[in-house]
Amino acid sequence: MFTTNHFAELSATISPSVMQAYVILMVLLVAGGTLFDVIHKQSAKYFFRKGKKSEQNAVRNVSGGEKVSLAVKTTVSDVLTSSEFCNPKRRVAHLLGMYGFVIYLIATIVMVFADPASADSPGIWPFLWAVGALMVCVGGYWFWFFIRVDVSSEGQSPFRVIRADLFILSLLASVTFGLIWAFTQSSGGGVWSMIFLGLYLIATTVLFAGVPWSKFSHMFFKPAAAYQKKVAVANGALDNLPRVADRTDPEDRDRHSMELLKDAPLNMGLGIKREQPRHY
Amino acid sequence: MPTFVYMTSCDGCGHCVDICPSDIMHIDPTYRRAYNIEPDMCWECYSCVKACPQNAIDARGYADFAPLGHSVRVRRDEEKGTISWRVKFRNGTEKNFLSPITTKPWGTGYPELKDEPAPSNEMRDSQHLYSEPKYIRMDDGDVHTLESNKLKMKLGVYY
């Protein structure tokens, strides 16, 4: 299962060009779905309006070089390490899902396009395909059963499904059925292998075709929003938030209510963050 | 000033849902973002504002001092123990306030109610509880406590 190019074995039943056309169709569906999302929900309009407002409220100009540095910071911090998550469990689950999906996706494309008719030269890709899918499963099921806010905070059943679950459920179904299909194919194929291949294709189609209704496009929007947030901090607009208080600054110390803090230690500790309130 | 959520900033982490003492911060059933289901019942404790890691929760000012067009933005810094407020009025006037977060260090704020004696019949019949017969089950007679009902508090709840 970890060493065989399953798509190569499948090429005995389905032509490699059909498989490649399917992958291209999925890519087009994602691009089209994201564009539809941008136009229909007017998210781009909102995004640029917010950027303009931030520029209007700016107290200093951000140079081009600084913008590049902010873009690099956004990529390294927000995108590559998901630093926006303050809950470490959510962050780890997200990183597992994100990197797992990326590895799984690249491995799938390589295995389908490189030489799907040849089962002899898969290299490391089948291994990466399976590891990526397993990473998505670990992060995804952990999120689904334990971390999801409906379940962890509101005490809902983990089996309650709403529209916002379309992305995570189709993603989990896709990788899970993919893994089961690969396993049944390695153990001799047969009817079960075809059934799970069918389920794998259905789930994958729903995942990529459901972009306008699911959370899929957050992969593209989130980095842009994180960059915009960083620019708003750099140019002083701060999204209309108050500036960060500096208690070592005498001017800040003399501001309203600060007498209560004058003798308090500079670092007050984690306060609310010390324990997740799970007292319902 | 009851709180509300900017749903585009909310990432649905649920901190506000967990901490709201009035149980009115809920998760939107379609988009999985937090929202204040009952602003009229908001205690205005601002626990949700302080707990939100995305600065997605703000307060809506009352019309007598902040009519339409105003904004009340809040920023908290737990490590420094400060919470800052920026109130912008419709005419552009801006007021900034800085206040301490008075959250007590963990482990110092328990009321130790478990050490208190069980309520007596006299307390049960007191006029102070005249409006709460349903909840203390006066009609059933006797004094109801956790022990008498063989109940235990969940781990993490301190009384």
Side-chain angles (χ1 to χ4, degrees):
Chain A
M1 181 177 160
F2 289 94
T3 51
T4 318
N5 182 348
H6 304 287
F7 300 101
E9 292 201 7
L10 186 64
S11 63
T13 327
I14 301 171
S15 148
S17 54
V18 172
M19 283 192 263
Q20 288 165 1
Y22 176 79
V23 172
I24 291 167
L25 177 68
M26 292 303 111
V27 172
L28 290 175
L29 280 174
V30 171
T34 308
L35 271 178
F36 176 79
D37 203 56
V38 164
I39 296 162
H40 175 67
K41 286 188 198 157
Q42 300 192 328
S43 32
K45 199 174 159 188
Y46 168 82
F47 178 77
F48 287 116
R49 195 173 59 202
K50 204 176 170 210
K52 213 173 223 178
K53 205 174 168 190
S54 162
E55 265 176 33
Q56 279 169 358
N57 292 334
V59 292
R60 61 177 283 266
N61 277 328
V62 181
S63 66
E66 211 176 333
K67 279 185 180 166
V68 173
S69 139
L70 288 173
V72 172
K73 263 187 203 166
T74 307
T75 311
V76 174
S77 169
D78 295 79
V79 179
L80 296 180
T81 63
S82 303
S83 64
E84 198 183 47
F85 290 103
C86 63
N87 178 340
K89 283 182 189 169
R90 289 185 92 211
R91 191 173 176 180
V92 171
H94 187 265
L95 286 171
L96 277 169
M98 181 178 77
Y99 282 110
F101 181 63
V102 170
I103 294 167
Y104 159 82
L105 196 67
I106 293 171
T108 307
I109 292 170
V110 169
M111 290 199 293
V112 170
F113 280 88
D115 191 4
S118 157
D120 303 329
S121 57
I124 197 172
W125 294 107
F127 176 75
L128 288 178
W129 183 84
V131 167
L134 285 169
M135 280 168 72
V136 174
C137 284
V138 172
Y141 285 115
W142 185 20
F143 167 78
W144 180 260
F145 286 108
F146 301 105
I147 304 174
R148 198 158 42 111
V149 64
D150 312 46
V151 177
S152 65
S153 295
E154 295 218 312
Q156 299 276 8
S157 159
F159 300 104
R160 172 179 166 271
V161 174
I162 59 171
R163 203 189 80 179
D165 299 319
L166 181 64
F167 172 63
I168 179 72
L169 279 185
S170 56
L171 176 64
L172 280 175
S174 172
V175 292
T176 307
F177 289 134
L179 283 170
I180 300 174
W181 162 64
F183 176 74
T184 47
Q185 194 196 53
S186 316
S187 7
V191 180
W192 284 111
S193 171
M194 292 314 288
I195 289 172
F196 283 112
L197 173 65
L199 291 170
Y200 174 46
L201 287 174
I202 291 169
T204 309
T205 310
V206 170
L207 171 66
F208 291 105
V211 173
W213 304 278
S214 79
K215 227 187 123 178
F216 195 105
S217 48
H218 81 284
M219 291 182 211
F220 314 113
F221 297 147
K222 274 279 178 184
Y227 169 72
Q228 200 179 49
K229 226 184 218 179
K230 281 199 166 38
V231 171
V233 172
N235 69 15
L238 283 170
D239 287 334
N240 212 18
L241 287 163
R243 70 180 167 85
V244 180
D246 176 11
R247 289 172 54 215
T248 58
D249 179 355
E251 198 191 322
D252 264 353
R253 267 208 311 270
D254 292 337
R255 282 165 70 194
H256 180 76
S257 286
M258 283 302 280
E259 59 271 17
L260 276 169
L261 275 177
K262 276 181 182 163
D263 301 325
L266 267 181
N267 187 328
M268 295 274 282
L270 289 175
I272 287 169
K273 286 185 191 165
R274 279 163 199 253
E275 191 216 44
Q276 286 279 83
R278 296 264 181 268
H279 299 168
Y280 54 85
Chain B
M1 298 192 293
T3 61
F4 71 98
V5 181
Y6 289 109
M7 284 175 98
T8 46
S9 302
C10 173
D11 77 344
C13 71
H15 278 39
C16 56
V17 180
D18 286 341
I19 208 156
C20 176
S22 194
D23 195 24
I24 55 172
M25 295 307 291
H26 279 225
I27 295 297
D28 182 279
T30 309
Y31 299 108
R32 193 165 288 131
R33 298 283 181 268
Y35 73 120
N36 186 335
I37 59 160
E38 197 63 81
D40 285 352
M41 299 301 286
C42 180
W43 299 4
E44 303 174 13
C45 67
Y46 305 128
S47 295
C48 57
V49 172
K50 295 177 198 171
C52 177
Q54 305 295 339
N55 287 312
I57 306 181
D58 275 353
R60 199 183 298 283
Y62 289 124
D64 52 354
F65 84 96
L68 285 175
H70 74 285
S71 74
V72 184
R73 290 288 271 154
V74 191
R75 187 189 192 97
R76 61 171 177 74
D77 187 326
E78 291 206 354
E79 298 205 351
K80 288 178 184 161
T82 55
I83 181 153
S84 317
W85 300 79
R86 170 184 277 181
V87 185
K88 270 190 179 175
F89 295 85
R90 187 163 54 169
N91 64 3
T93 310
E94 194 179 300
K95 287 190 185 291
N96 283 279
F97 303 99
L98 186 64
S99 308
I101 292 175
T102 50
T103 307
K104 288 182 179 175
W106 190 252
T108 61
Y110 303 129
E112 301 292 338
L113 294 183
K114 66 180 185 330
D115 298 334
E116 294 293 316
S120 63
N121 277 325
E122 193 183 322
M123 290 163 75
R124 185 178 69 89
D125 295 335
S126 152
Q127 62 175 338
H128 292 135
L129 298 175
Y130 78 98
S131 63
E132 301 188 18
K134 183 181 161 193
Y135 301 105
I136 57 170
R137 297 163 65 184
M138 284 183 78
D139 298 341
D140 296 355
D142 209 356
V143 173
H144 287 268
T145 62
L146 286 174
E147 276 174 24
S148 70
N149 284 290
K150 295 178 183 164
L151 293 171
K152 277 186 184 172
M153 294 308 294
K154 280 184 183 176
L155 191 69
V157 179
Y158 295 81
Y159 284 98

